[in-house]
Amino acid sequence: MTENTTTLTVSKRIEDRGDIARIQLTSKDGSDVKAFTAGAHLDIYLPKEDIWRQYSLCSDPAETGFYEIGVLKDPNSRGGSAAVHRDAIEGAEFTIEGPRNHFPLAENATFTVLLGGGIGVTPMIAMAKRLHALGKDFVLHYCTRSENLTAFRDELDGSGFADKIAYHFDDKDEAQRLDLKRDIPEPSAGTHLYVCGPQGFMDWVISTTEAAGHAPENVHREYFSADVDLSGDSFEVECSQSGITVTVGPDDTIARALAKEGIKIEVKCEEGVCGTCITDVLEGDIEHRDQFLTEEEREDMDQICACCSRGKGKLVLEI
Protein backbone atom coordinates (compact mmCIF):
# COMPACT_ATOMS: atom_id res chain seq x y z
CA MET A 1 0.00 0.00 0.00
CA THR A 2 1.06 3.56 -0.65
CA GLU A 3 1.03 6.23 2.03
CA ASN A 4 -2.37 7.39 0.81
CA THR A 5 -3.89 3.89 0.69
CA THR A 6 -5.93 2.34 3.47
CA THR A 7 -8.55 -0.32 4.11
CA LEU A 8 -12.04 0.79 5.12
CA THR A 9 -15.05 -1.21 6.22
CA VAL A 10 -18.65 -0.85 5.10
CA SER A 11 -20.44 0.08 8.33
CA LYS A 12 -23.84 0.94 6.87
CA ARG A 13 -25.70 0.62 3.59
CA ILE A 14 -28.95 2.35 2.69
CA GLU A 15 -30.94 1.39 -0.39
CA ASP A 16 -32.25 4.70 -1.66
CA ARG A 17 -34.55 5.73 -4.49
CA GLY A 18 -33.45 5.35 -8.09
CA ASP A 19 -31.24 2.28 -7.59
CA ILE A 20 -28.76 4.27 -5.53
CA ALA A 21 -26.87 2.62 -2.67
CA ARG A 22 -25.67 4.98 0.03
CA ILE A 23 -22.59 3.43 1.59
CA GLN A 24 -20.83 4.51 4.75
CA LEU A 25 -17.17 3.55 5.20
CA THR A 26 -15.28 3.58 8.50
CA SER A 27 -11.77 2.79 9.71
CA LYS A 28 -11.20 -0.82 10.68
CA ASP A 29 -10.06 0.14 14.17
CA GLY A 30 -12.78 2.72 14.75
CA SER A 31 -10.42 5.70 14.56
CA ASP A 32 -11.33 8.90 12.76
CA VAL A 33 -11.21 8.88 8.97
CA LYS A 34 -8.89 11.33 7.22
CA ALA A 35 -10.23 14.84 6.90
CA PHE A 36 -11.54 15.95 3.53
CA THR A 37 -12.83 19.08 1.87
CA ALA A 38 -16.11 19.53 0.02
CA GLY A 39 -15.85 18.22 -3.55
CA ALA A 40 -13.41 15.43 -2.68
CA HIS A 41 -13.67 11.82 -3.83
CA LEU A 42 -12.35 8.38 -2.93
CA ASP A 43 -10.63 5.95 -5.28
CA ILE A 44 -12.00 2.47 -4.54
CA TYR A 45 -10.31 -0.71 -5.72
CA LEU A 46 -12.61 -3.50 -6.96
CA PRO A 47 -10.46 -6.67 -6.90
CA LYS A 48 -12.73 -9.06 -8.81
CA GLU A 49 -12.74 -6.67 -11.75
CA ASP A 50 -9.18 -5.42 -11.06
CA ILE A 51 -10.27 -1.83 -11.59
CA TRP A 52 -10.27 1.43 -9.65
CA ARG A 53 -13.31 3.69 -9.62
CA GLN A 54 -13.87 7.16 -8.20
CA TYR A 55 -16.84 8.14 -6.02
CA SER A 56 -17.56 11.62 -4.67
CA LEU A 57 -18.04 12.06 -0.95
CA CYS A 58 -21.50 13.29 0.02
CA SER A 59 -20.97 13.23 3.79
CA ASP A 60 -20.41 16.38 5.82
CA PRO A 61 -16.76 17.50 5.71
CA ALA A 62 -17.13 18.09 9.46
CA GLU A 63 -17.93 14.40 10.00
CA THR A 64 -14.89 12.48 11.27
CA GLY A 65 -16.44 9.07 11.99
CA PHE A 66 -17.20 7.91 8.45
CA TYR A 67 -17.25 8.69 4.77
CA GLU A 68 -20.44 8.36 2.72
CA ILE A 69 -20.73 7.81 -1.01
CA GLY A 70 -23.75 7.29 -3.23
CA VAL A 71 -23.46 4.76 -6.05
CA LEU A 72 -25.95 4.42 -8.89
CA LYS A 73 -26.49 0.91 -10.23
CA ASP A 74 -25.93 1.91 -13.82
CA PRO A 75 -27.34 -0.50 -16.43
CA ASN A 76 -24.54 0.67 -18.74
CA SER A 77 -21.87 0.10 -16.09
CA ARG A 78 -18.38 -0.82 -17.25
CA GLY A 79 -18.16 -2.98 -14.14
CA GLY A 80 -17.64 -0.47 -11.34
CA SER A 81 -21.11 0.39 -10.09
CA ALA A 82 -22.38 -3.16 -10.53
CA ALA A 83 -19.44 -4.45 -8.47
CA VAL A 84 -20.03 -1.94 -5.68
CA HIS A 85 -23.72 -2.82 -5.50
CA ARG A 86 -22.82 -6.51 -5.37
CA ASP A 87 -19.94 -6.37 -2.92
CA ALA A 88 -20.50 -3.36 -0.63
CA ILE A 89 -22.43 -5.18 2.08
CA GLU A 90 -22.03 -4.39 5.76
CA GLY A 91 -18.70 -5.72 7.01
CA ALA A 92 -17.07 -5.81 3.59
CA GLU A 93 -13.61 -4.28 3.31
CA PHE A 94 -12.28 -2.14 0.47
CA THR A 95 -8.86 -0.78 -0.43
CA ILE A 96 -9.17 2.97 -0.68
CA GLU A 97 -6.94 5.78 -1.93
CA GLY A 98 -7.68 9.35 -0.93
CA PRO A 99 -9.58 11.36 -0.22
CA ARG A 100 -8.35 13.72 -2.91
CA ASN A 101 -9.98 16.81 -4.33
CA HIS A 102 -9.93 17.97 -7.97
CA PHE A 103 -13.23 19.84 -7.50
CA PRO A 104 -12.58 22.24 -4.60
CA LEU A 105 -15.14 24.70 -3.28
CA ALA A 106 -14.36 28.44 -3.42
CA GLU A 107 -15.41 29.26 0.13
CA ASN A 108 -14.91 33.00 -0.38
CA ALA A 109 -17.62 33.26 -3.07
CA THR A 110 -20.41 35.73 -2.37
CA PHE A 111 -23.00 33.44 -3.99
CA THR A 112 -22.70 29.79 -5.01
CA VAL A 113 -24.92 27.86 -7.42
CA LEU A 114 -24.76 24.06 -7.12
CA LEU A 115 -26.17 22.05 -10.04
CA GLY A 116 -26.44 18.28 -9.66
CA GLY A 117 -27.85 15.97 -12.32
CA GLY A 118 -28.87 12.57 -10.94
CA ILE A 119 -26.05 10.89 -9.02
CA GLY A 120 -23.95 13.97 -9.81
CA VAL A 121 -25.61 15.56 -6.78
CA THR A 122 -23.26 13.73 -4.39
CA PRO A 123 -20.42 16.30 -4.28
CA MET A 124 -23.06 19.06 -4.23
CA ILE A 125 -24.49 17.69 -0.98
CA ALA A 126 -21.08 17.92 0.72
CA MET A 127 -20.68 21.43 -0.66
CA ALA A 128 -24.12 22.47 0.56
CA LYS A 129 -23.33 21.19 4.05
CA ARG A 130 -20.09 23.11 4.12
CA LEU A 131 -21.62 26.33 2.78
CA HIS A 132 -24.45 26.08 5.31
CA ALA A 133 -21.94 25.63 8.13
CA LEU A 134 -20.10 28.74 6.93
CA GLY A 135 -23.31 30.76 6.73
CA LYS A 136 -22.79 31.37 3.01
CA ASP A 137 -25.44 32.27 0.44
CA PHE A 138 -26.11 29.45 -2.03
CA VAL A 139 -28.74 27.47 -3.91
CA LEU A 140 -28.76 23.78 -4.84
CA HIS A 141 -30.53 22.79 -8.06
CA TYR A 142 -31.13 19.03 -8.04
CA CYS A 143 -32.33 17.51 -11.34
CA THR A 144 -33.67 13.95 -11.64
CA ARG A 145 -35.85 11.99 -14.04
CA SER A 146 -38.68 11.64 -11.54
CA GLU A 147 -39.58 12.60 -7.97
CA ASN A 148 -39.83 8.95 -6.95
CA LEU A 149 -36.27 8.36 -8.21
CA THR A 150 -34.75 11.22 -6.20
CA ALA A 151 -32.22 9.80 -3.75
CA PHE A 152 -31.17 11.71 -0.61
CA ARG A 153 -34.59 13.44 -0.61
CA ASP A 154 -35.44 12.61 3.01
CA GLU A 155 -32.07 13.83 4.30
CA LEU A 156 -32.13 17.00 2.22
CA ASP A 157 -35.69 17.89 3.19
CA GLY A 158 -34.74 17.49 6.84
CA SER A 159 -31.57 19.55 6.57
CA GLY A 160 -31.04 23.06 7.83
CA PHE A 161 -30.74 24.29 4.24
CA ALA A 162 -33.93 22.73 2.82
CA ASP A 163 -35.13 26.19 1.82
CA LYS A 164 -32.09 26.57 -0.46
CA ILE A 165 -32.89 23.47 -2.54
CA ALA A 166 -34.80 23.56 -5.84
CA TYR A 167 -35.89 20.20 -7.25
CA HIS A 168 -36.42 19.70 -10.98
CA PHE A 169 -38.09 16.54 -12.34
CA ASP A 170 -38.09 15.54 -16.01
CA ASP A 171 -41.55 13.96 -15.80
CA LYS A 172 -43.30 17.01 -14.34
CA ASP A 173 -44.57 20.15 -16.07
CA GLU A 174 -42.02 22.22 -17.90
CA ALA A 175 -42.38 25.19 -15.56
CA GLN A 176 -40.61 23.38 -12.72
CA ARG A 177 -37.74 22.01 -14.85
CA LEU A 178 -34.36 23.68 -14.70
CA ASP A 179 -34.38 26.85 -16.80
CA LEU A 180 -30.87 28.28 -16.91
CA LYS A 181 -32.00 31.68 -18.13
CA ARG A 182 -34.44 31.90 -15.21
CA ASP A 183 -32.57 30.03 -12.49
CA ILE A 184 -28.98 31.20 -12.89
CA PRO A 185 -28.06 34.65 -11.53
CA GLU A 186 -26.37 37.34 -13.57
CA PRO A 187 -22.61 36.92 -13.95
CA SER A 188 -20.42 38.53 -11.31
CA ALA A 189 -16.90 38.04 -10.00
CA GLY A 190 -18.25 36.70 -6.72
CA THR A 191 -20.71 34.19 -8.21
CA HIS A 192 -19.41 30.63 -8.63
CA LEU A 193 -21.21 27.72 -10.28
CA TYR A 194 -20.55 24.01 -9.76
CA VAL A 195 -21.92 21.30 -12.02
CA CYS A 196 -21.74 17.50 -11.94
CA GLY A 197 -23.90 14.93 -13.70
CA PRO A 198 -24.29 13.13 -17.03
CA GLN A 199 -22.12 14.52 -19.80
CA GLY A 200 -25.01 15.95 -21.82
CA PHE A 201 -26.36 17.78 -18.77
CA MET A 202 -22.94 19.18 -17.95
CA ASP A 203 -22.15 20.27 -21.49
CA TRP A 204 -25.50 22.10 -21.63
CA VAL A 205 -24.97 23.87 -18.31
CA ILE A 206 -21.36 24.83 -19.03
CA SER A 207 -21.95 26.11 -22.57
CA THR A 208 -25.10 28.02 -21.60
CA THR A 209 -23.68 29.69 -18.50
CA GLU A 210 -20.41 30.66 -20.19
CA ALA A 211 -22.33 32.02 -23.19
CA ALA A 212 -24.34 34.12 -20.70
CA GLY A 213 -21.11 35.74 -19.52
CA HIS A 214 -20.03 33.65 -16.53
CA ALA A 215 -16.24 33.47 -16.48
CA PRO A 216 -14.94 29.97 -17.30
CA GLU A 217 -12.84 30.01 -14.12
CA ASN A 218 -16.05 30.52 -12.12
CA VAL A 219 -17.86 27.59 -13.76
CA HIS A 220 -16.46 24.54 -11.98
CA ARG A 221 -17.12 21.06 -13.28
CA GLU A 222 -16.47 17.44 -12.42
CA TYR A 223 -17.23 14.65 -14.86
CA PHE A 224 -17.88 11.24 -13.32
CA SER A 225 -17.93 9.65 -16.77
CA ALA A 226 -17.43 10.78 -20.33
CA ASP A 227 -17.95 9.50 -23.85
CA VAL A 228 -14.46 9.37 -25.25
CA ASP A 229 -13.23 8.29 -28.68
CA LEU A 230 -9.98 6.39 -28.22
CA SER A 231 -9.32 5.73 -31.91
CA GLY A 232 -7.17 7.74 -34.31
CA ASP A 233 -4.10 7.68 -36.51
CA SER A 234 -0.97 5.89 -35.30
CA PHE A 235 1.73 8.01 -33.68
CA GLU A 236 5.04 7.51 -31.89
CA VAL A 237 5.76 8.08 -28.22
CA GLU A 238 9.33 8.44 -27.00
CA CYS A 239 10.07 8.07 -23.28
CA SER A 240 12.96 10.41 -22.49
CA GLN A 241 14.07 8.75 -19.25
CA SER A 242 13.78 5.10 -20.25
CA GLY A 243 14.87 5.54 -23.86
CA ILE A 244 11.98 3.45 -25.17
CA THR A 245 9.95 4.47 -28.23
CA VAL A 246 6.62 2.84 -29.03
CA THR A 247 4.01 3.15 -31.73
CA VAL A 248 0.46 3.79 -30.48
CA GLY A 249 -1.87 2.12 -32.95
CA PRO A 250 -5.24 3.35 -34.23
CA ASP A 251 -7.20 1.51 -31.51
CA ASP A 252 -4.61 1.62 -28.74
CA THR A 253 -3.85 4.16 -26.00
CA ILE A 254 -0.56 5.58 -24.78
CA ALA A 255 -0.94 3.85 -21.42
CA ARG A 256 -1.65 0.44 -22.97
CA ALA A 257 1.11 0.72 -25.57
CA LEU A 258 3.69 1.60 -22.91
CA ALA A 259 2.47 -1.15 -20.57
CA LYS A 260 3.32 -3.72 -23.27
CA GLU A 261 6.94 -2.49 -23.02
CA GLY A 262 6.97 -2.65 -19.23
CA ILE A 263 6.41 1.06 -18.60
CA LYS A 264 3.45 1.43 -16.26
CA ILE A 265 1.37 4.59 -16.10
CA GLU A 266 -1.27 4.32 -13.41
CA VAL A 267 -4.76 4.41 -14.94
CA LYS A 268 -8.04 4.42 -13.02
CA CYS A 269 -11.05 5.91 -14.80
CA GLU A 270 -9.98 5.09 -18.42
CA GLU A 271 -12.14 8.00 -19.60
CA GLY A 272 -9.97 11.06 -18.96
CA VAL A 273 -12.00 12.34 -16.02
CA CYS A 274 -9.93 11.55 -12.91
CA GLY A 275 -6.44 12.86 -13.78
CA THR A 276 -4.58 9.85 -12.38
CA CYS A 277 -2.69 9.18 -15.61
CA ILE A 278 -1.53 12.77 -16.25
CA THR A 279 1.96 12.60 -17.76
CA ASP A 280 4.39 15.42 -18.57
CA VAL A 281 5.03 16.10 -22.25
CA LEU A 282 8.41 17.52 -23.35
CA GLU A 283 7.78 17.78 -27.10
CA GLY A 284 4.95 17.35 -29.58
CA ASP A 285 1.39 18.41 -30.31
CA ILE A 286 -1.38 16.86 -28.24
CA GLU A 287 -4.89 15.94 -29.31
CA HIS A 288 -6.65 16.35 -25.97
CA ARG A 289 -9.66 14.09 -25.43
CA ASP A 290 -9.97 14.28 -21.67
CA GLN A 291 -12.43 16.17 -19.48
CA PHE A 292 -9.91 16.79 -16.71
CA LEU A 293 -7.47 19.45 -17.87
CA THR A 294 -8.59 23.06 -18.07
CA GLU A 295 -8.43 24.97 -21.35
CA GLU A 296 -5.41 26.88 -20.05
CA GLU A 297 -3.63 23.63 -19.17
CA ARG A 298 -4.41 22.20 -22.59
CA GLU A 299 -2.98 25.25 -24.32
CA ASP A 300 0.32 24.78 -22.48
CA MET A 301 0.77 21.46 -24.34
CA ASP A 302 2.90 20.03 -21.53
CA GLN A 303 0.54 17.47 -19.98
CA ILE A 304 -1.49 14.58 -21.39
CA CYS A 305 -4.06 12.10 -20.09
CA ALA A 306 -2.38 8.89 -21.20
CA CYS A 307 -5.58 6.85 -20.95
CA CYS A 308 -7.37 8.60 -23.82
CA SER A 309 -5.59 11.58 -25.43
CA ARG A 310 -3.37 11.20 -28.49
CA GLY A 311 -0.50 12.81 -30.33
CA LYS A 312 -0.58 14.74 -33.57
CA GLY A 313 2.66 13.15 -34.66
CA LYS A 314 5.47 12.15 -32.31
CA LEU A 315 5.29 12.90 -28.58
CA VAL A 316 8.21 12.91 -26.14
CA LEU A 317 7.14 12.10 -22.56
CA GLU A 318 9.11 12.71 -19.39
CA ILE A 319 9.07 9.09 -18.18
Side-chain angles (χ1 to χ4, degrees):
M1 288 189 182
T2 67
E3 184 179 331
N4 203 31
T5 305
T6 189
T7 300
L8 298 180
T9 302
V10 177
S11 57
K12 187 176 183 180
R13 173 169 171 161
I14 301 169
E15 301 298 336
D16 211 332
R17 300 175 181 92
D19 260 347
I20 290 175
R22 294 172 54 184
I23 297 159
Q24 292 185 5
L25 298 158
T26 57
S27 298
K28 292 177 65 176
D29 60 3
S31 60
D32 287 350
V33 293
K34 293 179 182 177
F36 73 97
T37 53
H41 70 271
L42 296 177
D43 297 317
I44 299 181
Y45 180 62
L46 303 168
K48 294 179 182 177
E49 287 71 21
D50 191 25
I51 57 176
W52 287 87
R53 289 295 180 261
Q54 296 74 41
Y55 297 100
S56 295
L57 290 162
C58 58
S59 43
D60 193 331
E63 173 61 60
T64 60
F66 63 87
Y67 298 128
E68 183 174 331
I69 59 173
V71 182
L72 169 68
K73 189 175 184 181
D74 187 349
N76 299 314
S77 168
R78 294 179 297 122
S81 69
V84 172
H85 273 255
R86 179 193 66 217
D87 297 338
I89 58 175
E90 290 189 14
E93 296 182 353
F94 286 91
T95 298
I96 306 289
E97 285 192 0
R100 60 183 106 223
N101 198 341
H102 302 310
F103 192 41
L105 179 65
E107 296 185 351
N108 61 344
T110 54
F111 187 68
T112 302
V113 182
L114 307 173
L115 299 122
I119 194 60
V121 78
T122 48
M124 305 303 166
I125 294 174
M127 290 181 178
K129 291 174 179 176
R130 176 60 177 166
L131 290 167
H132 177 64
L134 293 172
K136 292 289 188 175
D137 196 9
F138 72 96
V139 62
L140 168 58
H141 291 281
Y142 183 8
C143 305
T144 66
R145 286 178 291 137
S146 175
E147 186 171 6
N148 61 11
L149 298 176
T150 303
F152 304 99
R153 182 71 187 267
D154 295 340
E155 177 188 351
L156 292 173
D157 285 349
S159 70
F161 51 87
D163 61 332
K164 296 182 181 294
I165 303 171
Y167 295 98
H168 308 280
F169 309 117
D170 290 348
D171 61 354
K172 293 289 183 69
D173 62 279
E174 191 168 340
Q176 61 78 60
R177 295 177 193 167
L178 181 64
D179 181 337
L180 294 175
K181 291 183 179 179
R182 177 195 66 201
D183 297 327
I184 302 301
E186 291 295 316
S188 75
T191 297
H192 286 250
L193 291 76
Y194 296 80
V195 58
C196 184
Q199 184 170 352
F201 171 79
M202 294 186 61
D203 291 346
W204 169 59
V205 171
I206 294 165
S207 62
T208 303
T209 54
E210 291 187 357
H214 289 274
E217 60 269 24
N218 282 14
V219 183
H220 311 272
R221 73 286 313 261
E222 182 170 68
Y223 288 84
F224 58 76
S225 66
D227 298 324
V228 58
D229 179 11
L230 300 178
S231 63
D233 294 336
S234 297
F235 61 98
E236 284 193 340
V237 170
E238 177 186 333
C239 301
S240 64
Q241 295 180 12
S242 65
I244 290 176
T245 298
V246 300
T247 298
V248 181
D251 298 310
D252 212 348
T253 68
I254 294 172
R256 288 200 297 255
L258 291 178
K260 294 171 188 175
E261 299 299 322
I263 299 176
K264 182 176 175 57
I265 296 176
E266 187 175 12
V267 172
K268 288 184 176 174
C269 73
E270 303 173 284
E271 295 181 328
V273 298
C274 77
T276 302
C277 66
I278 291 288
T279 305
D280 290 334
V281 178
L282 299 177
E283 296 178 28
D285 291 331
I286 304 167
E287 186 177 329
H288 291 288
R289 298 189 181 183
D290 66 281
Q291 298 287 358
F292 182 81
L293 294 171
T294 65
E295 286 303 318
E296 292 79 7
E297 289 170 333
R298 291 182 177 199
E299 290 170 3
D300 290 340
M301 284 287 179
D302 60 1
Q303 295 183 92
I304 191 169
C305 279
C307 73
C308 63
S309 294
R310 306 183 68 81
K312 299 176 183 179
K314 183 177 180 179
L315 294 177
V316 179
L317 307 184
E318 192 176 14
I319 53 176

